[in-house]
Amino acid sequence: MTTIKDIAARLELSPSTVSIVLKGNGDRRKIKKETQQRIMNAAKEMGYKPNIQAKILRGSLSAKANISLYWVSDNRIHLLSRFLKGLQIAIMENNYQFQLSIVPYENNHLQDALTQESVLTTNAIIICNPSETDMEYLEANDFHIPIVLYNRYSSKYATVNMDDKTIGLLPADIFAAHGKKHPALLKSPATFSGMNIRTNVFEFQVSESAMERPVSVMVEDSMKGGYLGALTLCDLNPLPDCLFCTSDSIALGALKAFYEKKIRIPEQIEVISVGSGRPEQEEYCIPSLSVISLPLEDMAEECLKILSDSLTNFKYTPTSITFPTPYVARQSCPALIQ
Amino acid sequence: MTTIKDIAARLELSPSTVSIVLKGNGDRRKIKKETQQRIMNAAKEMGYKPNIQAKILRGSLSAKANISLYWVSDNRIHLLSRFLKGLQIAIMENNYQFQLSIVPYENNHLQDALTQESVLTTNAIIICNPSETDMEYLEANDFHIPIVLYNRYSSKYATVNMDDKTIGLLPADIFAAHGKKHPALLKSPATFSGMNIRTNVFEFQVSESAMERPVSVMVEDSMKGGYLGALTLCDLNPLPDCLFCTSDSIALGALKAFYEKKIRIPEQIEVISVGSGRPEQEEYCIPSLSVISLPLEDMAEECLKILSDSLTNFKYTPTSITFPTPYVARQSCPALIQ
DNA sequence: CTGAAAGCGCTTACAG
DNA sequence: CTGAAAGCGCTTACAG
């Protein structure tokens, strides 16, 4: 790291002069043009980079607390918008003075991104999408700042959850109430245990009902995955009469496949999805999509609220809060008329 | 701002002791339990918040440069995912040591978010979605750090652009080549001059062709807006035989309306949209959507590249680069068979 | 068990 | 036109 002092030493000037010129105030402070040029050249040559921490500290600037949001850098990046929207709403409404940093990481490699050193450079952390391995890392280490986990369970950290059991239970109950017989499930590989809970509970609940055992197809968590999975289902005899998808992406791909195969929804097959995507998209796809609605924005807001409280009161308690995941009936699986 | 010094003074302890306890090392350093308790209580009472700038500076930690991304906090938040994806790719591929901060702002109020003070707390800035008013603010002020504008024109700042003329030209030419007669346009209120360029060029190019004057309907930039706008078009006699939409959201809403009205795409009406959304979504909607593809990810990468160069070479030149916006033919407006 | 001292990199008010 | 000195808030190695 080249510092102002280094440049000053090399040019036999004082740090003050170098600072003034580098800040762009050379002319105003009447530093000789030639001196200015020498300083700029040296800065370039020596690869000088201003240290903003020092600037901020020196100026007693920006009491803004830094909140780091850890988000996995895979397909799930498109869910980040909804989460960020929730954070922004919380920031606006509560007039939080936060600087929000996005830290990407890869599943099973949280430890590379969330180091003890990186923890020293932030005030509080929201961790989203950790895998089981990542969770083990979190449980095994101590970070001395407030951390909240989104949609994970832990006795060590504050968590903001949804009830994964309900997410699996609701569609099974609805299909049963609709008198369906041949259930199907399009699921993607579980990236955390909650996903297994959802699908296991669905399969269990179905097995407790008058329905047959569900046909489960493992697909990629994408529209393409859902499309291909649904094509597989179309070849079955009998055709499933109801389908649960573990994500919006999968469901939207499936809708396309059914459309192409001229399979009518909901008449021939009812579809319910985990509502992870944009509600607007669920409303305007063809047909509109019934979902177990995940309140991402509200949960994001809650994460920030917890951290704000922690920072304000200078105490951190591993609270846990669970958000409801209501069923939103749309065309793909309408509510029964009572 | 309560500091460690303040707490030490109040309790008649040294700053060292307070620091040790607050950092959670009290037990290891064998500070008396009672002293620890007194310190924690005082910190809570006095509203102590650790100053991370000081921590970082002191520890010579994190040479990570801070890049601030200014993004408007309205509907366009859902486009942020694609942009962030591009940034993350750039960070991973080039192993950039950047801390990325997201700064929300409201159009016409960039000046409230991008203050001279806020500029001191970051190393470089990417500004997205500024309105005309915001642009005036940018042109009228000097910030002494590298700034790059996404999809705007300026002689003062580096810019990363797409060619708005092409975006308007292409669909008009394609519709003309397809022998269409009755063009329509669903557009949302322009949030920057480039949007007017797109629609004006489309309307002009259409008027130069054998087609009739286009029917232009102003709608909200959302699926609902597109849906309602398309319903209006459905009432026209004759029905338009081709439609240009200024965003994916609008187009997806329009597809739904046409589906409900049993209007066949592309047979009765061809649809081309500005491809601002997720390509996967464009492929799996019904029918799949032909678009003028906007390379958001590539442009985001380029923004970061420019800033990285600026920071490395300690010089900032207002370069300008324009990215191609190729036509991607899908079901809603297939390519002519040659 | 606790404290005095030095220093991270920068800027600014003051002096000359 | 340029420099010497102080200080932002914190932590750590050392001393006692």
Side-chain angles (χ1 to χ4, degrees), chain A residues 35-51:
Chain A
T35 309
Q36 292 198 40
Q37 203 50 59
R38 284 172 61 220
I39 292 174
M40 294 308 280
N41 290 342
K44 220 169 289 181
E45 250 177 61
M46 301 169 73
Y48 172 72
K49 281 177 196 129
N51 181 322

Side-chain angles (χ1 to χ4, degrees), chain B residues 55-195:
Chain B
K55 282 193 195 206
I56 294 171
L57 183 57
R58 156 68 221 210
S60 304
L61 291 167
S62 160
K64 282 201 183 179
N66 184 289
I67 310 267
S68 295
L69 173 64
Y70 283 70
W71 194 278
V72 107
S73 57
D74 63 12
N75 268 355
R76 282 168 282 177
I77 183 84
H78 73 266
L79 300 179
L80 180 52
S81 287
R82 284 189 66 196
F83 199 86
L84 280 177
K85 188 178 172 189
L87 295 181
Q88 293 201 354
I89 290 171
I91 288 175
M92 299 278 191
E93 279 184 357
N94 302 288
N95 195 27
Y96 287 141
Q97 294 302 304
F98 289 148
Q99 182 195 42
L100 186 65
S101 297
I102 311 284
V103 186
Y105 74 101
E106 289 185 70
N107 259 166
N108 303 334
H109 296 278
L110 180 60
Q111 58 200 29
D112 298 334
L114 181 73
T115 59
Q116 289 288 352
E117 179 167 331
S118 74
V119 168
L120 288 174
T121 68
T122 192
N123 296 89
I125 298 180
I126 302 173
I127 298 178
C128 299
N129 348 91
S131 68
E132 297 301 309
T133 308
D134 296 329
M135 284 301 297
E136 283 168 24
Y137 171 68
L138 287 171
E139 295 294 342
N141 285 274
D142 289 316
F143 308 95
H144 296 277
I145 62 172
I147 294 183
V148 56
L149 307 184
Y150 164 74
N151 195 25
R152 294 295 184 274
Y153 298 98
S154 166
S155 54
K156 182 168 181 177
Y157 299 101
T159 64
V160 175
N161 284 295
M162 36 209 170
D163 185 2
D164 291 307
K165 275 191 225 104
T166 303
I167 295 173
L169 216 55
L170 272 177
D173 286 348
I174 292 166
F175 291 148
H178 288 196
K180 297 294 164 184
K181 297 291 174 213
H182 309 293
L185 170 64
L186 288 182
K187 61 180 177 183
S188 55
T191 50
F192 65 102
S193 61
M195 287 182 67

Side-chain angles (χ1 to χ4, degrees), chain B residues 3-4 19 23 48 51 54 58:
Chain B
T3 70
I4 281 186
S19 168
K23 238 193 123 188
Y48 172 72
N51 181 322
R58 156 68 221 210

Side-chain angles (χ1 to χ4, degrees), chain B residues 117-304:
Chain B
E117 179 167 331
S118 74
V119 168
L120 288 174
T121 68
T122 192
N123 296 89
I125 298 180
I126 302 173
I127 298 178
C128 299
N129 348 91
S131 68
E132 297 301 309
T133 308
D134 296 329
M135 284 301 297
E136 283 168 24
Y137 171 68
L138 287 171
E139 295 294 342
N141 285 274
D142 289 316
F143 308 95
H144 296 277
I145 62 172
I147 294 183
V148 56
L149 307 184
Y150 164 74
N151 195 25
R152 294 295 184 274
Y153 298 98
S154 166
S155 54
K156 182 168 181 177
Y157 299 101
T159 64
V160 175
N161 284 295
M162 36 209 170
D163 185 2
D164 291 307
K165 275 191 225 104
T166 303
I167 295 173
L169 216 55
L170 272 177
D173 286 348
I174 292 166
F175 291 148
H178 288 196
K180 297 294 164 184
K181 297 291 174 213
H182 309 293
L185 170 64
L186 288 182
K187 61 180 177 183
S188 55
T191 50
F192 65 102
S193 61
M195 287 182 67
N196 284 326
I197 296 176
R198 296 174 190 178
T199 52
N200 289 345
V201 167
F202 175 77
E203 287 168 339
F204 174 81
Q205 187 75 355
V206 160
S207 76
E208 296 282 287
S209 74
M211 288 187 270
E212 286 185 3
R213 284 197 42 153
V215 178
S216 286
V217 181
M218 183 71 81
V219 299
E220 191 184 70
D221 185 13
S222 67
M223 296 189 197
K224 186 178 179 187
Y227 177 81
L228 296 175
L231 286 184
T232 309
L233 297 180
C234 290
D235 289 337
L236 295 178
N237 193 347
L239 185 75
D241 55 9
C242 58
L243 168 65
F244 177 42
C245 300
T246 58
S247 83
D248 266 14
S249 294
I250 292 174
L252 291 172
L255 292 186
K256 175 94 175 178
F258 293 142
Y259 175 81
E260 288 181 355
K261 292 290 184 182
K262 301 201 192 313
I263 291 169
R264 282 168 294 118
I265 306 170
E267 294 83 353
Q268 288 177 273
I269 182 167
E270 292 187 341
V271 179
I272 297 178
S273 175
V274 175
S276 48
R278 297 169 56 205
E280 188 178 40
Q281 192 171 353
E282 295 161 354
E283 288 213 28
Y284 286 92
C285 59
I286 298 173
S288 65
L289 189 62
S290 300
V291 298
I292 315 297
S293 170
L294 307 189
L296 257 72
E297 291 86 351
D298 296 343
M299 293 173 75
E301 250 190 275
E302 181 64 27
C303 288
L304 213 49

Side-chain angles (χ1 to χ4, degrees), chain A residues 319-334:
Chain A
T319 54
S320 179
I321 178 167
T322 301
F323 277 69
T325 51
Y327 179 61
V328 178
R330 296 199 185 92
Q331 292 168 334
S332 75
C333 183

Side-chain angles (χ1 to χ4, degrees), chain A residues 10 18 43 58 60 64 99 114 116 124 140 143 146 158 173 192 194 234 250 252 263 265 272 274 293 305 329 331 335:
Chain A
R10 151 103 86 107
V18 177
R58 156 68 221 210
S60 304
K64 283 202 184 180
Q99 181 194 43
L114 182 71
Q116 288 290 351
F143 308 94
D173 286 348
F192 65 102
C234 290
I250 292 174
L252 292 171
I263 291 169
I265 307 170
I272 296 179
V274 175
S293 170
K305 214 166 281 179
Q331 292 168 334

